[in-house]
Structures are given as C-alpha cells and as structure tokens.
Amino acid sequence: MFLIWGLLVTAALANANDLVGTWTTKSRDVLTGPGFYDPLNDKLLEPNLTGISYSFDDDGNYESAYYRAISNPVDPSCPGGIMQWQHGSYTVFGNGTLILTPIAVDGRQLLSDPCRQQSGQYTRYNTTEEFKEFSVYIDKFNRIKRLDLTKFDGSLVHPMFLAYQPPKMLPTTTLNPMPTGHKQKRELSSKESGVYLVAREQLVNPDRWWWLGVLMTSLGGVAFFCS
C-alpha cells in the first residue's frame, strides 16, 4: 500500500515539474508578469492580440492571464473584450488533477464594451480553476513544448506553448490587500483612465453575453423572414 502511494506521489511530482515555466497560446502576445498586470498602479495592460497564458514555478505558485474578445451580433464591427488576471497556489494530485487556488483579493477583471459604455468595468476576480488532467509534450508541428489542460467536462483549453523557463511572474505574495473602512469605499468608486473598479456583483456574467448574441441573431432572422 505504501509502495503504491509512494509511486503516485512520485508521479504527481514529476508532472508538477513538467508544468514549470510560462506558457502562452499561439498568438504569443498574452504573457503573465508585469506586461499584463501592473500591481503598483492596479491596472491591466491590454495586449495587441487575444490569448491565454499560465505560469507555474517549482514552489507551487501559479499566475494566469486571459484576454478574450466578446462578439457583438448587433454591431460586429464593435466587439467587447474581457481581461482576467489571477495568481495563487497550485496542487497536482496523484490522479493527475490540477487545482489552481487564487489569492482572493488580488485577482482582477476588466470588462469593456466600447459601443455601450465609455469606460470599462474593473472588478476584483476570484475563481478557483480545476482541471481533470494535463499533459506536456513536444508539439510535432512547432517542435517546442506544449501544454494541454483538460477541464472536468472534457473540453480543452486552447493549447499553450512554452515561452519562458524559469517562468515570467509577478511576486507570489499578496499584492493588493483588501482595504478597510473608508479606503475601501474610495477604491470601489475610483475613476482612473476611464476605468471603474466596481463591486463584483454589479457585473453581468460575460458568458451570458454569448447567449444574448444568439437570441438577438435569432430574433433578427425571424423578423427578416416575416417581413
């Protein structure tokens, strides 16, 4: 029994070692570190292209950066965008499961819809990520290390490729402790560079925007058919 447990632990450690580095999607424009999030000025820095990046160190710390476009079916020439940044600790279990636990007060999300609002909505962001499994191997086309993350529903995150080793990360400790009292109220209502830091519950779930787009497109088709 102890031998089996030891083998599982050894396998988990080996897989965890495979994760170490900074990984990014094909655009290579989104990378973790100070080029995506500026903790001193508390702002997200918009890359030129969308993408995803994850970094892992050998001490159990991780960092993630997301930049996605949100389609606008009413005006396709005016899409929205969402940026998300988190960091915290990760755990690799013997069965290959990967759990990312963020530092709750540090995560940030910027949701922008330039055709509806002149300013983006900037909020704290805190979401634990769970992956059923992951694999690291040499991509046969690009000839570099590739990371595949599989969610529990079986879907795959966009493939990522090794960009830096050791990883490119911000400090792994808490960067922006939660303010208290009047300071907290001022921060939540601050306005800098057209970006508002608002309470999380005021945000609409961006995944719902896709369904709204489908509904609007369907209604448009019905109206055209009936006209």
Side-chain angles (χ1 to χ4, degrees):
M1 183 66 182
F2 287 105
L3 177 60
I4 295 175
W5 175 252
L7 290 174
L8 288 175
V9 171
T10 301
L13 290 175
N15 287 335
N17 290 334
D18 290 340
L19 282 172
V20 174
T22 292
W23 307 83
T24 184
T25 46
K26 195 172 182 180
S27 72
R28 301 182 68 87
D29 214 52
V30 175
L31 293 165
T32 57
F36 190 85
Y37 175 59
D38 176 1
L40 295 179
N41 296 300
D42 194 7
K43 64 179 181 180
L44 292 168
L45 308 173
E46 184 179 0
N48 293 321
L49 300 172
T50 57
I52 302 170
S53 179
Y54 281 87
S55 285
F56 304 89
D57 68 13
D58 53 10
D59 290 324
N61 302 298
Y62 87 96
E63 185 176 327
S64 64
Y66 275 70
Y67 179 33
R68 294 183 292 162
I70 301 175
S71 61
N72 183 346
V74 178
D75 184 359
S77 65
C78 191
I82 183 169
M83 297 177 66
Q84 296 168 333
W85 179 88
Q86 292 192 118
H87 74 156
S89 61
Y90 71 92
T91 303
V92 176
F93 294 90
N95 61 358
T97 298
L98 172 64
I99 306 295
L100 310 183
T101 306
I103 298 174
V105 297
D106 273 356
R108 293 292 186 267
Q109 175 175 276
L110 176 61
L111 184 62
S112 64
D113 184 11
C115 290
R116 295 184 181 182
Q117 296 175 326
Q118 293 182 350
S119 61
Q121 292 181 312
Y122 192 43
T123 181
R124 294 183 182 89
Y125 179 71
N126 173 27
T127 298
T128 298
E129 295 184 86
E130 300 181 359
F131 299 101
K132 182 179 180 180
E133 60 185 12
F134 66 91
S135 58
V136 176
Y137 57 97
I138 301 297
D139 184 83
K140 63 180 180 180
F141 296 108
N142 296 285
R143 304 295 181 184
I144 56 176
K145 280 189 176 182
R146 168 174 165 169
L147 171 63
D148 289 344
L149 297 175
T150 304
K151 300 179 182 180
F152 272 89
D153 62 2
S155 62
L156 292 172
V157 176
H158 287 292
M160 288 175 281
F161 303 92
L162 185 63
Y164 293 97
Q165 198 173 46
K168 186 177 183 180
M169 302 171 67
L170 287 165
T172 57
T173 55
T174 302
L175 299 176
N176 288 294
M178 181 75 75
T180 58
H182 296 295
K183 290 184 179 180
Q184 181 180 11
K185 293 181 180 179
R186 283 200 298 270
E187 182 183 5
L188 290 175
S189 62
S190 64
K191 302 177 182 179
E192 295 182 5
S193 303
V195 173
Y196 295 78
L197 183 60
V198 299
R200 178 179 173 83
E201 57 270 16
Q202 295 178 23
L203 284 181
V204 176
N205 184 345
D207 291 333
R208 296 178 185 172
W209 290 31
W210 187 87
W211 291 108
L212 177 61
V214 172
L215 177 61
M216 294 296 291
T217 302
S218 300
L219 291 176
V222 171
F224 176 80
F225 180 78
C226 295
S227 61

